[in-house]
Amino acid sequence: MRITVFRKLMSNEFGEVRADMLARDHVFSSLGGRTVDQALDAGLEPKEIWRAVCEAFEVPPERR
């Protein structure tokens, strides 16, 4: 998954403003105590990050 696709999924699911806020501020234990932005900067795969976001926010399977 490309980062642009990941960002689009985030915006579609949470809205642009909330997606940006979550990516910047929400720390995920499943990402090693990182935010989405930190995880991307650290080189984690966007698909792995998307899975973590979906689990944390209980995104329905059909939108994962």
Side-chain angles (χ1 to χ4, degrees), residues 7-41:
R7 295 286 187 189
K8 181 75 171 166
L9 289 169
M10 288 283 290
S11 289
N12 288 345
E13 186 62 35
F14 301 107
E16 192 173 325
V17 173
R18 186 167 183 227
D20 288 343
M21 181 192 69
L22 289 175
R24 183 185 62 240
D25 298 331
H26 189 87
V27 176
F28 294 84
S29 60
S30 59
L31 297 176
R34 297 179 180 106
T35 65
V36 165
D37 289 342
Q38 291 169 335
L40 288 168
D41 289 344

